């Protein structure tokens, strides 16, 4: 593969380092973790991995875009940015369903990001401002 991001070997190495770090963190604290807490912390898409934090950032982008629908003048909304958010949201929603482990949180956050960007593009189109 020409792209580092889609290189399975590199992704596996990063993923393995994250899991090893989370196991070490849970074991070395000396705290008596409940079984549920251990399952959450050591889950392949748990809070010690990029699979958890990436969707959190995407939810933030989506919430800001929803806020823009109500509080930002339509003239200030960039059609180009919304187009990029629309395409990337849909592409990454699909990607989240084919990676291991499947990341439903990432898929949902990206799908929502794409839908909200689509709503913004529709608003720009209705107002005749789609082409800047």
């Amino acid at each position: 593969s020409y792209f580092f991001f889609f290189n399975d070997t590199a992704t596996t190495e990063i993923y393995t380092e994250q899991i090893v770090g989370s196991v070490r963190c849970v074991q070395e604290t000396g705290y008596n973790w409940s079984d549920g807490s251990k399952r959450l912390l050591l889950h392949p898409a748990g809070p010690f991995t990029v699979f958890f934090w990436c969707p959190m950032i995407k939810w933030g982008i989506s919430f800001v875009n929803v806020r823009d629908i109500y509080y930002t003048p339509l003239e200030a909304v960039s059609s180009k940015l919304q187009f990029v958010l629309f395409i990337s949201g849909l592409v990454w929603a699909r990607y989240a369903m084919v990676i291991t482990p499947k990341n439903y949180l990432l898929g949902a956050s990206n799908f929502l990001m794409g839908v909200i960007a689509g709503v913004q593009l529709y608003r720009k189109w209705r107002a005749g401002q789609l082409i800047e």
Side-chain angles (χ1 to χ4, degrees):
S1 174
Y2 293 107
F3 299 103
F4 168 77
F5 193 83
F6 295 106
N7 183 335
D8 290 336
T9 304
T11 304
T12 302
E13 289 173 8
I14 293 169
Y15 171 72
T16 303
E17 286 297 317
Q18 291 171 339
I19 293 299
V20 168
S22 63
V23 169
R24 190 176 317 121
C25 179
V26 170
Q27 290 174 344
E28 292 177 1
T29 59
Y31 183 76
N32 187 15
W33 297 96
S34 70
D35 289 337
S37 295
K38 283 182 187 175
R39 275 195 312 274
L40 171 69
L41 294 172
L42 299 177
H43 190 274
F48 292 106
T49 68
V50 70
F51 297 112
F52 177 81
W53 291 106
C54 184
M56 295 301 115
I57 300 301
K58 298 281 183 138
W59 285 116
I61 292 170
S62 296
F63 292 143
V64 168
N65 216 3
V66 168
R67 188 194 72 72
D68 285 348
I69 290 173
Y70 297 104
Y71 298 109
T72 302
L74 197 53
E75 299 79 29
V77 174
S78 168
S79 296
K80 293 175 185 173
L81 174 64
Q82 295 305 320
F83 180 74
V84 169
L85 289 175
F86 176 71
I87 295 299
S88 89
L90 298 182
V91 167
W92 286 104
R94 170 70 180 128
Y95 177 75
M97 298 298 117
V98 298
I99 61 174
T100 303
K102 282 191 187 332
N103 194 336
Y104 297 106
L105 187 60
L106 179 63
S109 64
N110 277 297
F111 182 74
L112 181 67
M113 186 176 72
V115 167
I116 294 170
V119 168
Q120 290 280 44
L121 288 170
Y122 176 75
R123 291 178 62 228
K124 295 279 283 185
W125 175 73
R126 293 277 298 174
Q129 300 175 6
L130 190 58
I131 306 298
E132 296 174 342

